[in-house]
Amino acid sequence: MSKLWGGRFARETDVLAHEFNASLPFDRRLVAEDSRGSMAWARALAGAGVLMAVEAETIVAGLAQVQVEFTDGTFVFEAGDEDIHTAVERRLTEIVGDVGGKLHTGRSRNDQVATDFRLWVMGAIDHLQDSLGDLQTALIESAETNLNLPMPGYTHLQHAQPVTWGHWVLSHFWPLVRDRERLAQVRGRTAVLPLGSGALAGTAYPVDREWLAKELGFTAVSQNSLDAVSDRDFAADFLYAAAMIGLHLSRLAEQLVLFSSAEFGFVRLDDGYSTGSSLMPQKKNPDTLELTRGKAGRLVGNLTGLLTTLKGLPSSYDKDLQEDKEPLFDAFDTLRLTVPVMAGLIRTLTLRPERMAAQLEPGLLATDLADYLVKRGVPFRQAHHLVGRVVQMAEQKGVHLTELTVAELRTVSEVFGEDVTAVFHITSSLSNRNVSGGTSPEALANQLEAARTAIIRKP
Ligand code: ARG
């Protein structure tokens, strides 16, 4: 097996050790980034007077052919190909001859892989930004159609105060705004060019790194070659952003699992996003939601795995760093499916307003009753206590809060007057919360508008 670094070795690598060492099975997906990086490097070498312009162009054409062979599936790997970098260079040299051997001048796989990987992460972020934007659009559409539809709001999963469907659905929109901001920040930190750092000490040829950065879409060049070949902060940042997306989607999924259960019945999942049971003919299971909830686990696992690998590493390259790629590939592949599946599920969701209405029991208005007393001068703490007694009285009489007569209410507090019944409406509870971020129709319309603006403004 011929190796790119075989000169000083008298014996071949052990077969299992070769397999252990190789990253080709997973890093082959960096082929496009590797070729792009090498094309730019060849031209930078020509700019530095290391290659003749014609040599650089021969290499660029050869690399283009390697890429074609990859896309049409005719690229043949050889036993000695250790990783994508060695495979591409080996094939390039077969195509263009000896001049291919000049490409690696002044470069190392250390600055090469760091460059490739950053390019890949930038592309992955661009893809996720678009698909998250589409999921946000689906949530906005759902909010638009049922902005003021009342439903019970929960804390501790107990009936709390009335909210609306629009308010609830947008509560899952804003976390995604933060996720997209986070991704944009990660992209900014990723777009720093390591190429030109060589193995660890910088390249000995006068390549124009600023030109390279521009050519490859980076916005800055690294300032320390030792740091540049070992910095994987961008990878950890990406995994944190991915874990947060997974976590946010898992919360949305969990709530929809509950809402689609027979007990709640607030929503009906479309058949296209549900599955049946192999045993129980009546079952319609929310598998897509459960998987979304479950996938958050592997996303968090990818993050903790990489952080553990990076901990304690000296600056400059160590082979441990080869462990950086699989968690990111897995995180991206996970979200590449999860996010659009969730968007489709939201778009096809059927709401069941009658089931929501059935749960809008008057107990949800207890706070409004306390607010009634406050507006008539009772300190809130005392009002809270008095309404607590009203609730107790209703319970003892076996009636709803709103079924108590004014006379009965007045046995608890003289402050209750005939106008108290005005409080006993879900819609007045909603519209009383007219603060920004609240449940009033006006506040909700403003929120919806803000959501539309947030989605148009690219992070
Ligand atoms: N396959 C390696 C990786 O993914 C490329 C860099 C190898 N560098 C080295 N000095 N062996 O990290």
Side-chain angles (χ1 to χ4, degrees):
M1 236 186 294
S2 91
K3 289 267 176 19
L4 286 177
W5 37 260
R8 59 103 66 221
F9 286 81
R11 274 196 328 116
E12 293 259 309
T13 323
D14 170 77
V15 177
L16 269 186
H18 172 79
E19 188 182 336
F20 188 56
N21 202 38
S23 52
L24 192 60
F26 53 85
D27 69 12
R28 62 178 65 185
R29 69 190 282 175
L30 293 177
V31 65
E33 290 79 10
D34 195 67
S35 311
R36 263 180 72 201
S38 289
M39 287 176 184
W41 183 247
R43 288 181 170 142
L45 286 177
V50 178
L51 293 185
M52 291 187 302
V54 56
E55 290 178 315
E57 290 317 307
T58 306
I59 288 173
V60 168
L63 288 165
Q65 187 180 327
V66 170
Q67 263 193 305
V68 170
E69 290 179 10
F70 256 91
T71 30
D72 65 18
T74 54
F75 190 98
V76 183
F77 290 108
E78 285 191 356
D81 294 344
E82 188 179 310
D83 53 27
I84 188 63
H85 324 292
T86 51
V88 168
E89 193 184 323
R90 189 259 312 150
R91 181 66 192 131
L92 170 73
T93 309
E94 285 168 8
I95 295 169
V96 301
D98 284 349
V99 67
K102 294 190 177 184
L103 170 64
H104 212 53
T105 313
R107 185 178 72 166
S108 156
R109 279 183 294 161
N110 299 352
D111 56 349
Q112 187 180 357
V113 71
T115 304
D116 293 2
F117 197 26
R118 282 175 185 265
L119 283 173
W120 182 87
V121 169
M122 284 148 72
I125 288 175
D126 293 344
H127 180 97
L128 288 179
Q129 288 285 19
D130 285 349
S131 79
L132 284 170
D134 185 58
L135 174 56
Q136 286 181 307
T137 305
L139 293 169
I140 285 183
E141 287 161 3
S142 178
E144 273 165 350
T145 38
N146 284 289
L147 191 62
N148 294 298
L149 174 67
M151 65 181 264
Y154 300 82
T155 59
H156 310 266
L157 212 52
Q158 307 291 320
H159 278 190
Q161 290 172 349
V163 295
T164 73
W165 175 263
H167 200 47
W168 177 80
V169 91
L170 288 177
S171 75
H172 290 281
F173 170 91
W174 296 103
L176 300 179
V177 172
R178 299 191 289 275
D179 286 330
R180 293 182 75 193
E181 282 168 6
R182 224 180 323 271
L183 281 175
Q185 289 158 359
V186 176
R187 198 185 194 287
R189 284 194 289 277
T190 305
V192 179
L193 179 84
L195 200 58
S197 300
L200 75 163
T203 184
Y205 302 90
V207 288
D208 184 344
R209 296 190 67 211
E210 303 289 343
W211 177 86
L212 267 175
K214 226 167 157 195
E215 175 73 4
L216 290 170
F218 289 87
T219 51
V221 299
S222 57
Q223 295 299 319
N224 181 305
S225 57
L226 290 170
D227 176 42
V229 293
S230 58
D231 172 15
R232 295 296 184 272
D233 291 9
F234 67 96
D237 283 349
F238 177 83
L239 288 180
Y240 175 64
M244 285 304 289
I245 296 167
L247 190 145
H248 289 145
L249 297 185
S250 79
R251 297 180 59 197
L252 170 60
E254 165 63 5
Q255 234 170 338
L256 287 174
V257 168
L258 282 172
F259 286 177
S260 62
S261 67
E263 281 69 18
F264 278 82
F266 291 177
V267 299
R268 202 179 275 123
L269 300 188
D270 187 76
D271 283 358
Y273 292 90
S274 319
T275 43
S277 158
S278 56
L279 189 145
M280 298 164 282
Q282 88 285 9
K283 288 296 290 287
K284 183 167 150 180
N285 295 327
D287 289 29
T288 42
L289 292 170
E290 293 164 283
L291 268 176
T292 300
R293 194 174 56 191
K295 298 278 185 198
R298 68 192 285 161
L299 290 165
V300 173
N302 286 330
L303 171 64
T304 51
L306 181 70
L307 289 176
T308 312
T309 296
L310 296 178
K311 180 196 164 297
L313 285 186
S315 67
S316 172
Y317 183 84
D318 296 275
K319 190 73 171 208
D320 315 45
L321 291 172
Q322 182 166 283
E323 289 294 307
D324 61 358
K325 283 169 274 303
E326 286 164 290
L328 271 81
F329 292 159
D330 184 74
F332 176 67
D333 290 342
T334 300
L335 290 178
R336 185 168 57 175
L337 274 180
T338 311
V339 177
V341 164
M342 197 52 123
L345 185 143
I346 296 287
R347 285 202 167 94
T348 55
L349 205 59
T350 312
L351 304 197
R352 302 175 71 192
E354 73 290 356
R355 295 295 306 250
M356 297 176 193
Q359 290 301 324
L360 287 168
E361 45 89 14
L364 290 158
L365 301 169
T367 317
D368 298 271
L369 203 54
D371 288 337
Y372 170 92
L373 293 176
V374 167
K375 279 181 194 146
R376 277 149 195 82
V378 181
F380 178 74
R381 268 293 140 243
Q382 205 184 329
H384 184 286
H385 180 77
L386 292 171
V387 175
R389 286 183 44 209
V390 171
V391 169
Q392 200 179 39
M393 184 199 286
E395 254 173 31
Q396 275 162 4
K397 292 187 188 286
V399 297
H400 282 310
L401 206 60
T402 48
E403 287 164 349
L404 292 169
T405 63
V406 176
E408 284 168 332
L409 288 172
R410 286 175 69 85
T411 65
V412 175
S413 168
E414 299 268 292
V415 182
F416 286 117
E418 292 297 331
D419 57 350
V420 68
T421 49
V423 165
F424 292 148
H425 299 285
I426 297 291
T427 45
S428 52
S429 171
L430 290 168
S431 54
N432 277 337
R433 288 169 172 76
N434 195 23
V435 66
S436 54
T439 53
S440 78
E442 193 191 334
L444 284 172
N446 289 340
Q447 184 187 171
L448 188 61
E449 204 40 49
R452 288 194 191 109
T453 312
I455 198 172
I456 295 165
R457 195 184 53 231
K458 276 221 157 190

